[in-house]
Amino acid sequence: MDDLVSRMTLEEKVSQMTNYSAAIPRLGIAEYDWWNECLHGVARGGKATVFPQAVGLAATFDEELILKIATAISDEGRAKYNAAQKLGNTGRYMGLTYWTPNINIFRDPRWGRGHETYGEDPYLTGEMGVQFIKGLQGDDPRYLKTVATSKHYAVHSGPEPLRHEFDAVVSERDFRDTYLPAFKKTVEEGHVYSVMCAYNRYMGEPCCGSAPLEEEILRGELGFQGYVVSDCGAISDFYRGHHVVNDREEAAALGVLSGTDLNCGDQYEGLVEAVNRGLIAEEEIDLSVKRLMLARMKLGMFDPDALVPWSGYPVDTLASASHKEVARE
């Protein structure tokens, strides 16, 4: 990982830090799109078993069933990835990095994305989230089956129309008792390998530009070992909605320096100019690129198929009879 990143130019490093990551043929790095979803199945990329929405899954109060569902979803995700690789299809929804589960707390029924969550209970949300993550990521000691993502960190539950400019101000007790527990549990018990930071501000700072949230609490206090991805367009909100910086280059530098490794969007394309302007050092960019390369290595993307446990999953895994039975259950 260190050796691979050391061989990249600054421009090549930056090309790996947006959801669409360009190929670097001379280093054996294929193009890759990090954007994928599997909230209740991998149907966004075509044929798949569709399970009930997340809030319906939580209503089962059945941890073993949630694990079974997520295992079926990751089976189908691997099968879909294998088929896409054979066709040379590296497009969106064909990868192994899933922006799931949504473990935000559903406090206000007017929030339009509440059905994506496991409801209003921080404890239940954490329990469901851990099992879903275990089913997605698998239990192989060397490889990740897929990458799961706990989102949206943190204090995100509407109002949806104002999310690009809204400052979520809550007490420390409410933060610790309501909004943090599910993230803490999915990091410490689920070992989730990705976290998505939210659009909104928290206590005055954009969540994707908050070192206290990402470095001090997430990586420091909770011991998170993976990478952080921004919600889509959240970095541009730094100057378009939150008005905490002046332009794209300042926003990109703030995101990386705060701990956001991957940008869903194109704002990190400004990192080359940010380095030239002295807003960030190339060495600080290296840390994020290393985290991203390590994730791809853990998914087996640089290894022969024979070494990766799920590389043989066939296309008929999709919407199989056994998975449909789980959906009926």
Side-chain angles (χ1 to χ4, degrees):
M1 172 190 64
D2 291 347
D3 179 67
L4 180 63
V5 174
S6 73
R7 296 169 186 262
M8 296 181 188
T9 66
L10 173 60
E11 289 76 11
E12 287 172 336
K13 293 170 186 174
V14 170
S15 77
Q16 302 304 298
M17 298 177 68
T18 58
N19 63 283
Y20 167 74
S21 296
I24 309 177
R26 69 183 185 85
L27 296 177
I29 299 174
E31 68 176 10
Y32 183 69
D33 197 316
W34 297 77
W35 189 334
N36 213 335
E37 312 272 0
C38 66
L39 187 65
H40 56 124
V42 289
R44 199 164 188 176
K47 180 180 179 180
T49 308
V50 176
F51 297 92
Q53 258 292 3
V55 76
L57 297 178
T60 67
F61 288 81
D62 190 334
E63 294 177 48
E64 292 183 5
L65 182 59
I66 297 301
L67 178 62
K68 189 187 298 185
I69 288 167
T71 300
I73 289 172
S74 59
D75 285 352
E76 297 196 5
R78 270 287 174 174
K80 199 176 290 282
Y81 173 77
N82 294 341
Q85 288 293 297
K86 290 177 182 178
L87 295 172
N89 182 356
T90 58
R92 186 170 296 175
Y93 311 137
M94 293 298 115
L96 293 171
T97 45
Y98 290 96
W99 295 345
T100 304
N102 185 343
I103 57 170
N104 291 138
I105 301 303
F106 190 19
R107 271 196 158 176
D108 188 333
R110 295 170 298 180
W111 183 33
R113 292 178 66 179
H115 59 281
E116 295 184 15
T117 76
Y118 297 121
E120 73 276 17
D121 179 8
Y123 176 77
L124 178 64
T125 296
E127 295 298 302
M128 297 292 103
V130 166
Q131 296 307 313
F132 207 92
I133 288 160
K134 287 182 175 180
L136 289 186
Q137 296 191 163
D139 58 3
D140 187 83
R142 180 177 177 86
Y143 294 105
L144 289 165
K145 190 178 182 185
T146 71
V147 167
T149 302
S150 293
K151 68 182 188 184
H152 309 80
Y153 182 70
V155 197
H156 181 75
S157 56
E160 195 73 3
L162 302 179
R163 59 187 177 169
H164 301 287
E165 60 190 61
F166 181 70
D167 187 11
V169 179
V170 300
S171 68
E172 181 73 7
R173 177 171 179 174
D174 201 17
F175 175 74
R176 295 280 174 176
D177 285 356
T178 306
Y179 294 105
L180 189 62
F183 286 99
K184 177 179 172 67
K185 189 175 286 284
T186 57
V187 168
E188 295 180 346
E189 298 180 24
H191 306 294
V192 70
Y193 206 72
S194 172
V195 169
M196 177 178 282
C197 49
Y199 286 117
N200 55 277
R201 275 172 287 156
Y202 166 64
M203 305 300 284
E205 293 186 313
C207 292
C208 293
S210 172
L213 272 181
E214 297 183 351
E215 293 296 333
E216 294 175 22
I217 296 176
L218 184 63
R219 290 196 169 99
E221 183 179 326
L222 305 186
F224 176 64
Q225 298 295 311
Y227 64 90
V228 175
V229 56
S230 78
D231 208 337
C232 297
I235 303 300
S236 65
D237 287 344
F238 291 3
Y239 59 96
R240 289 174 176 161
H242 300 305
H243 304 293
V244 297
V245 297
N246 295 311
D247 55 29
R248 181 181 72 163
E249 288 70 32
E250 289 184 12
L254 176 61
V256 176
L257 291 172
S258 300
T260 303
D261 305 299
L262 182 66
N263 171 209
C264 179
D266 58 9
Q267 298 300 297
Y268 277 8
E269 292 175 4
L271 282 169
V272 174
E273 179 59 25
V275 171
N276 293 336
R277 287 169 52 181
L279 299 172
I280 188 171
E282 185 172 351
E283 292 75 18
E284 291 164 316
I285 289 172
D286 288 353
L287 179 57
S288 288
V289 181
K290 287 176 184 178
R291 288 175 181 147
L292 299 174
M293 290 298 104
L294 181 58
R296 293 182 65 174
M297 289 175 180
K298 284 179 173 288
L299 288 165
M301 292 181 179
F302 293 92
D303 292 344
D305 287 348
L307 294 179
V308 184
W310 312 279
S311 60
Y313 280 28
V315 71
D316 58 11
T317 303
L318 300 169
S320 65
S322 61
H323 291 173
K324 289 178 181 178
E325 278 303 310
V326 177
R328 291 190 185 99
E329 183 182 349

